[in-house]
Amino acid sequence: MVSTIELSKRQDRILEIVKENGPITGEHIAEKLNLTRATLRPDLAILTMAGYLDARPRVGYFYTGKTGTQLLAESMKKLTVKDFQSIPVVVNENVSVYDAIVTIFLEDVGTVFVTDDKHHLAGVLSRKDLLRASLGKQELSTLPVNIIMTRMPNITMCEKDDLLIDVAKKLIDTQIDAVPVVKKTDSGYEVIGRLTKTNITKAFVALAEQEG
Ligand code: ADP
C-alpha cells in the first residue's frame, strides 16, 4: 500500500539525484553515491513502493513529484469497507423494544439493524430511537421495534467493496453513526456487516501507523 514514510538520509539523497538526473538507472544512482547496486536495491524498492519514484524497465527511475500529503490521500482513497467492517448486530422486526435495548447492552453496540422474516434489511434502530420510545407511555416489552425503527427505503447503506472515504462522507452528510454493509439479492438486502464511526477511526490510526 502506498504511504507516507520517514525517509532515511540516503533515501533523501536518492530522491535528489533522481529529481536532477531522472530518468536514471539504478546503476548510475549507485555510482553517484559510491555504493553498489545491491546496497541500493532496498532503498529503491521502498521509494518506488511509497510512490515517490516510478521505475520503467530499461529506462530507469523517474521522480513522480508527489508530496507526502498527496501520497497519504492516495492511500486513504484505497481503503475499502471489507477491511474494516465489523460483525453486524441484527434483530427481527417483531422483537420488542425492551429486547432491543437488552441487545445493545449485551452486544455493546450503538446501532442495531432490523430484518424481516426473510432476513432482509427492514430498518435501523439507534440508541436515541430506543430512548425516545422509552420516554413514551407504551409497554416496551410488547411494543415491536418495527413501530419505532427508521425503515426502508430510507436506510443509508454500503457494500463491502465501497471506499471507506465514501462511507465516511455518507455518515457526515446524513449525521448517523453507522451503516449496514449489505449484499443485494433479487428479493432484498442481506446484512453482512456493520460500518461505524469507530471502524473509520481505526482505519485512520492504521493508516498513520503503517510504515513502508
Ligand atoms: P443516535 O440516534 O443514537 O444519535 P444516529 O445518529 O446513528 O444515533 O441515528 C440518528 C437517527 O438516524 C436515528 O433515528 C436512526 O434510526 C437513524 N439512522 C441511524 N442509522 C441509519 C442508517 N444507516 N440509515 C438511515 N437512518 C439511520
Side-chain angles (χ1 to χ4, degrees):
M1 189 189 291
V2 175
S3 70
T4 48
I5 51 167
E6 288 276 329
L7 298 183
S8 69
K9 261 212 175 101
R10 190 200 278 162
Q11 288 161 358
D12 267 334
R13 240 340 250 132
I14 295 171
L15 276 188
E16 288 302 315
I17 291 171
V18 179
K19 241 191 243 182
E20 279 168 30
N21 306 283
I24 178 170
T25 61
E27 200 85 27
H28 285 126
I29 302 171
E31 268 172 32
K32 284 183 183 289
L33 290 168
N34 277 324
L35 294 167
T36 66
R37 174 78 181 83
T39 315
L40 227 54
R41 196 160 287 137
D43 290 318
L44 287 170
I46 287 169
L47 291 170
T48 309
M49 249 174 9
Y52 290 100
L53 296 183
D54 221 349
R56 230 170 277 169
R58 283 182 300 277
V59 181
Y61 291 91
F62 294 83
Y63 184 62
T64 59
K66 286 176 184 160
T67 63
T69 318
Q70 278 173 318
L71 294 168
L72 179 63
E74 279 179 14
S75 346
M76 286 175 95
K77 288 181 198 154
K78 282 184 188 154
L79 304 178
T80 54
V81 167
K82 62 178 169 300
D83 292 329
F84 293 94
Q85 71 187 48
S86 307
I87 294 166
V89 175
V90 177
V91 296
N92 180 275
E93 62 181 338
N94 296 312
V95 307
S96 68
V97 170
Y98 182 94
D99 283 341
I101 293 172
V102 171
T103 301
I104 67 164
F105 279 105
L106 287 179
E107 304 284 347
D108 196 17
V109 289
T111 309
V112 175
F113 304 124
V114 183
T115 52
D116 60 22
D117 289 336
K118 290 182 186 134
H119 302 288
H120 294 138
L121 180 63
V124 172
L125 286 170
S126 75
R127 276 180 283 222
K128 263 184 240 155
D129 293 333
L130 296 167
L131 274 175
R132 195 181 304 112
S134 313
L135 288 175
K137 291 209 170 61
Q138 304 104 316
E139 175 52 46
L140 298 185
S141 56
T142 53
L143 179 66
V145 291
N146 64 18
I147 304 290
I148 67 149
M149 69 186 185
T150 300
R151 65 190 59 250
M152 287 290 275
N154 301 320
I155 303 299
T156 304
M157 42 199 172
C158 71
E159 292 182 77
K160 68 176 177 26
D161 293 320
D162 286 350
L163 293 178
L164 215 54
I165 186 78
D166 291 334
V167 181
K169 284 180 191 160
K170 272 189 197 176
L171 293 182
I172 293 169
D173 290 346
T174 53
Q175 300 188 337
I176 53 177
D177 295 343
V179 294
V181 183
V182 298
K183 195 169 134 194
K184 197 174 176 358
T185 70
D186 291 340
S187 43
Y189 293 97
E190 199 183 310
V191 181
I192 60 171
R194 167 170 65 101
L195 207 287
T196 69
K197 287 179 175 173
T198 303
N199 298 125
I200 291 167
T201 308
K202 283 183 178 162
F204 176 76
V205 172
L207 208 56
E209 287 186 343
Q210 65 157 13
E211 297 251 321

